[in-house]
Amino acid sequence: MSRMIRKAAVIGSGVMGSGIAAHLANSGIACLLLDIVPDRLTPEEAAKGLSLTDPEVRNRLASSAVAGLKKHRPAPLYDSSFADLITPGNIEDHLEQLKKVDWIIEVVVENLAVKKNLLEKVERNWREGTIVSSNTSGISINEMVQGRSDGFKRHFLGTHFFNPPRYLKLLEIIPGKETDPAIVDFMSSFCNKTLGKGVVRAKDTPNFIGNRIGTYGLLVTLQEMSNAGYSVDEIDAITGPAMGRPKSATLRTLDVVGIDTFIHVAQNVHDNVSGETEKTVFTVPEYLREMVALGWNGAKSGQGFYKSVPTKKGKEILALDIDSMDYKPRQKIASATLATVAKIRGTRERIRALINGDDRFSKLAWTVTKKMLLYSAEKLGEISDSIVEIDRAMKWGFNWELGPFETWDAIGLEASVSRMEAEGLTIPEWVKEWIAAGHHSFYKWQEGRIYHFQTVPDESAVQPDELWEKRREAVQIQPARQQYTALEQTSDSISLQSLKTQNKIILSNNGASLIDLGDGVVCLEFHSPNNAIGDEIIEMMEKTMDEVRSRFKGLVIANEGKNFCVGANLKQLLGYAANKDWPAIDRMIHTFQDTLLRLKYLEKPVVAAPHQMTLGGGVEVCLAADQVNPFAETYAGLVETGVGLIPAGGGCKEMALRAAEVIKDYPEADLQPFVNRPFEMIGTAKVSTSAYEAKKIGWLRKTDRVIASRDDLIYEAKKTVLSLDALGYVPPREEKIKVIGESGKALLLLGTYHMRRGGYISDYDRIITGKLAHILSGGNVPSGALVTEQYLLDLEREAFLSLCGETKTQDRIQHMLVKGKPLRN
């Protein structure tokens, strides 16, 4: 099926509609954004003398939404310039333009009648073959297209983005009964590769997968809160990271989602399921309705379960008491179990320790967990035929670290089922049959692949006679059997975890491993705590280069951690500084500089594939690579000034070099502006909000290729290495760097003077940026002088060492280690 999506139309410019349009623009897709025509003028429009017939008024809703995209935080756009790909319009004047697009997405109010009416208008302006989808969170896909033509139905499906569309990975694709399977396959691939989404195929049932399981989990937690007398603070202390969930836990999540929105989602399930037990669970607690009646809808109204109030010292967060409906100061939760759990690194071990504790907090965790597990098992086959799809929906849509069935494996399938049965709970038959067959988990690793529970048709059980066919049809059963099935692997994804189970590790220590990717390419994987760079990673980089030089075509630097690299090992550095072991610091920095310089000039191609937080030394590693293929959500920055230091692994040197490269072919051009930029970015510890912004800042080159799907990062990096090798790779040649010298440094220092006078930086910030200015300018040399890379590296190391000896720098490092945020001193 030859099909491409170059242009799309989004109908509905609210938060979700504009967010989807923004993410389409992020992916390079031109987008028409339509909304209704306003029925009255704003005071500003009236003052301009406009009328309801003016395009400015008629397109106001969509135009305002596009303008707002540039201001929203977190930013819906990778870069504000992407908004230029979105054209605002309205559904009275511009529906004919739907004939020119490849994909139409309906994102209007969650009302079946409204959606059906709109789709009727869409079909009147629909070009045969154009894909049409609804971004509903739970309304039936099949009911929406009742009355539409067969051709329209074949091209219609649900595409449920989760909010915010840019950041949440999950996209549920919901085929209708008559949706062309080829359309479903195409959209699944397109949304994954081009939009970077994690696609889960759901059945057309109330709230699909993510919101069905997620809403159930939230409701049973709310019911337990009121039944057992837990406070708001206690609920969120338990149902957050301790259970492998986001920091927003339960009630802060509801505040972000909106209490009114949550009630609507829960009510949709309540109204569309038939079982009384399930209806009871999806009955919204009365205090939630009371909160909405009072206007306490959460973050968007300024108060929900939490409320921020001003104080003399700034502000205080209060928590709601659901019994009195008053706000009270937050409680600090003291629990030996929670204290123990907080020290456990692994999610599986953490959850297991929590539910097996012996206090009321463990009881809450177990009660919520067991109900969620049993409900997920009961819904298998109804909302999805795959436990994998259910697990992925909860991880990608709700940021759970483990899905329901992965959680079940983590706490022990057999032990937990025995505990449930001892408490009088009913276990789904298929779970008992699976255990009875001798299985101890829903997932297992075997020969480098993941296998999962699956129900498959049992061909041997089919009796091809008329009697059997009639019986099977009458009771609506499909002969089936349970088995482990290999998790589907696409040809364009590489799993380091899988490769390691296949004994593909070439070298390893506690900080990093070298893994064979095949075809003559290897991957250097960081796996130290937070992927921070310390002695062990540097040692492994040295050994890696020896291996690559003698045995391989090239090197990928990537990992599957939460973040690519958060910078240097500050704990190790602070230890050296506290003991005044300056030779150890000098040796560490000198070795890191030499290692990255050697990496830059390695005889084989090096491609870095960063993702998420890529800070300090992580950026410097990327700067040394021949090419960087970052994940779109890469937040990069040379942030050392935040801990009282300057980049000393070649970061300053590389930025000075890249500034000089800009004017290399224009000897008379002024270099100063091109140095001012990195001086400002490093001096303010600027972190990009995306890989595209990292290009604008200068952390990445314009030629670096951004990858939309994180799952494709390592595969694409490997492809790039092989491509560079096939073209006859030649390593870069070291050249001298033109610098702005003492006169340029004076201008940089003048900037810090004005920043200090304006109160933008502290006195100590000025000392740090003074050292930064000395390095970027080339030190005490004339303007236009040519210096070597080693000369600038020596300036970096000298400045770094001197700052390590400063008490205020050590205070900043200590504060970052303890508080996780910079100290301004």
Side-chain angles (χ1 to χ4, degrees):
M1 182 178 182
S2 179
R3 180 184 290 276
M4 294 185 70
I5 293 179
R6 299 183 182 88
K7 188 172 183 179
V10 175
I11 306 177
S13 67
V15 173
M16 279 303 297
S18 60
I20 291 170
H23 196 59
L24 292 173
N26 287 337
S27 305
I29 299 167
C31 186
L32 180 66
L33 182 61
L34 306 180
D35 212 316
I36 61 173
V37 175
D39 59 4
R40 66 189 67 185
L41 297 175
T42 65
E44 293 77 15
E45 289 167 342
K48 289 181 181 178
L50 297 174
S51 72
L52 291 175
T53 61
D54 286 305
E56 181 180 338
V57 176
R58 295 177 71 78
N59 298 337
R60 183 216 305 154
L61 295 179
S63 297
S64 297
V66 174
L69 291 173
K70 300 178 182 180
K71 304 172 185 176
H72 289 170
R73 294 294 179 269
L77 297 162
Y78 288 149
D79 184 84
S80 59
S81 63
F82 283 64
D84 295 341
L85 285 170
I86 306 174
T87 302
N90 68 77
I91 58 177
E92 291 184 16
D93 302 331
H94 303 115
L95 279 184
E96 283 193 0
Q97 294 187 26
L98 298 181
K99 296 176 181 178
K100 301 177 182 178
V101 306
D102 307 301
W103 180 16
I104 302 166
I105 313 171
E106 169 275 304
V107 199
V108 299
V109 63
E110 286 287 272
N111 180 288
L112 178 60
V114 173
K115 289 179 182 289
K116 290 183 71 172
N117 180 57
L118 175 63
L119 291 174
E120 182 181 359
K121 294 177 181 178
V122 167
E123 185 169 13
R124 290 201 293 265
N125 295 274
W126 176 68
R127 173 172 49 88
E128 181 76 30
T130 301
I131 295 170
V132 184
S133 70
S134 171
N135 183 65
T136 176
S137 60
I139 294 178
S140 172
I141 300 302
N142 291 301
E143 288 184 25
M144 274 189 229
V145 285
Q146 286 181 359
R148 306 276 57 76
S149 68
D150 290 343
F152 191 89
K153 290 177 181 178
R154 284 194 296 272
H155 292 82
F156 183 77
L157 70 164
T159 51
H160 180 209
F161 289 81
F162 273 60
N163 191 31
R166 170 184 164 182
Y167 296 97
L168 281 184
K169 183 175 180 177
L170 180 62
L171 172 65
E172 292 178 320
I173 284 185
I174 310 100
K177 291 179 181 177
E178 298 177 52
T179 308
D180 184 345
I183 295 289
V184 178
D185 290 341
F186 168 77
M187 288 299 289
S188 297
S189 175
F190 169 80
C191 291
N192 175 245
K193 301 300 178 186
T194 304
L195 303 186
K197 291 296 166 189
V199 174
V200 164
R201 297 192 190 187
K203 295 188 176 184
D204 189 18
T205 57
N207 287 18
F208 313 127
I209 300 175
N211 278 344
R212 184 73 169 269
I213 301 295
T215 303
Y216 177 89
L218 290 167
L219 282 168
V220 296
T221 304
L222 292 174
Q223 289 161 6
E224 192 65 18
M225 178 171 71
S226 56
N227 293 340
Y230 290 96
S231 71
V232 164
D233 288 310
E234 288 174 332
I235 290 292
D236 277 358
I238 300 300
T239 60
M243 289 179 64
R245 312 284 176 81
K247 289 182 179 179
S248 56
T250 297
L251 305 177
R252 193 171 292 282
T253 294
L254 286 177
D255 275 358
V256 172
V257 169
I259 310 299
D260 52 342
T261 301
F262 175 72
I263 289 176
H264 174 81
V265 173
Q267 194 67 42
N268 186 58
V269 180
H270 178 277
D271 294 345
N272 289 282
V273 294
S274 55
E276 286 305 314
T277 300
E278 194 168 10
K279 277 185 177 292
T280 299
V281 174
F282 282 92
T283 299
V284 175
E286 193 55 39
Y287 64 82
L288 278 192
R289 297 191 184 279
E290 185 178 346
M291 290 171 69
V292 171
L294 292 167
W296 300 354
N297 286 316
K300 59 187 175 185
S301 64
Q303 65 188 104
F305 284 103
Y306 295 95
K307 176 183 179 181
S308 177
V309 295
T311 67
K312 292 181 179 179
K313 295 183 179 180
K315 64 179 181 180
E316 180 184 8
I317 305 296
L318 304 179
L320 181 66
D321 182 323
I322 63 169
D323 293 323
S324 66
M325 295 302 283
D326 292 327
Y327 287 93
K328 298 179 179 180
R330 298 196 60 188
Q331 303 171 274
K332 186 171 180 62
I333 307 304
S335 162
T337 299
L338 280 177
T340 299
V341 168
K343 298 175 184 177
I344 299 174
R345 286 188 58 192
T347 303
R348 288 168 171 79
E349 294 77 12
R350 194 165 61 244
I351 296 173
R352 189 160 56 246
L354 179 61
I355 67 164
N356 288 319
D358 58 2
D359 61 16
R360 61 194 299 267
F361 301 113
S362 292
K363 182 179 180 182
L364 170 65
W366 168 244
T367 300
V368 171
T369 298
K370 70 184 180 185
K371 290 181 177 181
M372 181 269 296
L373 298 181
L374 291 174
Y375 186 73
S376 299
E378 289 166 6
K379 295 298 124 184
L380 183 68
E382 178 184 335
I383 62 176
S384 172
D385 289 327
S386 169
I387 67 168
V388 176
E389 302 283 77
I390 293 174
D391 280 346
R392 286 175 171 173
M394 301 318 298
K395 291 190 293 184
W396 294 345
F398 287 78
N399 285 326
W400 290 11
E401 293 181 41
L402 300 175
F405 297 97
E406 291 172 323
T407 299
W408 217 330
D409 282 354
I411 66 175
L413 175 58
E414 293 164 290
S416 60
V417 166
S418 295
R419 183 176 176 183
M420 292 173 190
E421 289 180 319
E423 294 175 3
L425 299 175
T426 301
I427 312 299
E429 283 301 317
W430 72 263
V431 175
K432 293 195 290 186
E433 291 170 4
W434 182 247
I435 295 173
H439 301 299
H440 308 293
S441 63
F442 294 117
Y443 293 89
K444 70 173 181 177
W445 278 95
Q446 184 174 315
E447 297 176 349
R449 297 195 66 179
I450 299 176
Y451 287 76
H452 61 89
F453 166 90
Q454 186 71 54
T455 299
V456 296
D458 188 354
E459 303 298 337
S460 65
V462 177
Q463 302 175 27
D465 56 70
E466 186 178 357
L467 181 64
W468 169 258
E469 289 301 320
K470 288 181 178 179
R471 176 180 177 275
R472 183 166 70 89
E473 186 176 313
V475 297
Q476 297 181 331
I477 63 169
Q478 171 69 37
R481 57 189 169 85
Q482 299 175 340
Q483 68 176 40
Y484 278 118
T485 301
L487 190 65
E488 183 179 353
Q489 291 181 314
T490 60
S491 59
D492 50 0
S493 65
I494 293 175
S495 164
L496 296 182
Q497 184 181 12
S498 176
L499 290 172
K500 286 188 282 190
T501 66
Q502 299 174 56
N503 299 316
K504 298 294 185 180
I505 298 176
I506 300 168
L507 299 168
S508 186
N509 63 21
N510 290 331
S513 295
L514 184 64
I515 301 168
D516 190 349
L517 300 181
D519 302 314
V521 182
V522 289
C523 177
L524 177 63
E525 175 202 32
F526 299 165
H527 49 66
S528 62
N530 297 315
N531 288 343
I533 297 174
D535 292 338
E536 290 173 322
I537 285 181
I538 296 172
E539 176 190 347
M540 187 54 61
M541 291 179 72
E542 285 289 338
K543 292 180 178 179
T544 289
M545 287 185 282
D546 291 338
E547 289 285 331
V548 171
R549 177 181 284 111
S550 62
R551 299 174 51 196
F552 297 98
K553 295 178 181 179
L555 172 67
V556 168
I557 303 177
N559 62 71
E560 294 171 339
K562 181 179 180 181
N563 297 301
F564 176 73
C565 177
V566 298
N569 186 332
L570 292 179
K571 186 176 182 180
Q572 183 181 55
L573 181 63
L574 184 61
Y576 288 147
N579 292 324
K580 302 188 185 304
D581 192 349
W582 315 125
I585 296 177
D586 183 57
R587 183 171 58 253
M588 181 173 70
I589 297 305
H590 208 307
T591 303
F592 189 45
Q593 290 181 340
D594 289 349
T595 300
L596 291 187
L597 196 61
R598 183 184 173 199
L599 185 72
K600 178 179 179 179
Y601 293 109
L602 188 67
E603 294 92 334
K604 305 292 178 69
V606 178
V607 176
H611 64 275
Q612 300 297 129
M613 301 305 294
T614 302
L615 307 175
V619 171
E620 290 174 314
V621 169
C622 293
L623 292 174
D626 295 292
Q627 181 164 325
V628 183
N629 287 0
F631 176 41
E633 299 296 345
T634 296
Y635 315 125
L638 291 170
V639 296
E640 284 83 352
T641 58
V643 288
L645 297 168
I646 52 91
C652 297
K653 177 261 296 183
E654 281 297 314
M655 299 315 294
L657 185 153
R658 293 187 181 193
E661 282 182 343
V662 175
I663 65 163
K664 186 175 180 180
D665 296 328
Y666 305 93
E668 302 305 314
D670 184 7
L671 177 59
Q672 184 77 44
F674 300 100
V675 177
N676 291 350
R677 178 69 169 166
F679 176 71
E680 178 188 355
M681 297 295 99
I682 298 173
T684 58
K686 174 67 175 178
V687 177
S688 70
T689 59
S690 70
Y692 290 96
E693 191 184 31
K695 285 188 174 189
K696 288 180 71 173
I697 291 172
W699 308 141
L700 298 174
R701 295 183 185 275
K702 301 296 183 186
T703 53
D704 289 333
R705 179 174 164 233
V706 179
I707 307 299
S709 173
R710 183 176 166 183
D711 297 336
D712 296 344
L713 269 184
I714 299 173
Y715 173 80
E716 292 295 337
K718 176 185 172 181
K719 268 182 34 179
T720 303
V721 167
L722 291 173
S723 176
L724 290 171
D725 175 71
L727 291 171
Y729 175 77
V730 176
R733 182 167 57 89
E734 186 170 0
E735 298 181 6
K736 289 191 173 181
I737 304 166
K738 184 177 181 179
V739 295
I740 56 177
E742 288 186 294
S743 60
K745 178 170 71 172
L747 290 174
L748 296 179
L749 294 175
L750 180 62
T752 66
Y753 168 77
H754 288 298
M755 289 182 72
R756 179 66 193 102
R757 287 201 64 184
Y760 297 107
I761 60 175
S762 68
D763 286 333
Y764 193 59
D765 289 327
R766 194 175 172 201
I767 291 173
I768 298 167
T769 52
K771 293 182 182 292
L772 176 63
H774 184 71
I775 300 164
L776 289 175
S777 64
N780 300 322
V781 296
S783 176
L786 298 175
V787 301
T788 65
E789 290 186 59
Q790 188 58 57
Y791 170 80
L792 291 179
L793 288 173
D794 291 341
L795 293 183
E796 283 186 4
R797 197 170 67 258
E798 178 185 349
F800 190 92
L801 276 167
S802 67
L803 288 169
C804 282
E806 296 286 345
T807 301
K808 288 188 176 181
T809 286
Q810 294 175 25
D811 289 343
R812 288 191 178 195
I813 295 174
Q814 179 69 31
H815 192 271
M816 179 62 74
L817 288 170
V818 175
K819 302 289 187 180
K821 55 185 179 181
L823 169 69
R824 289 290 302 276
N825 58 355

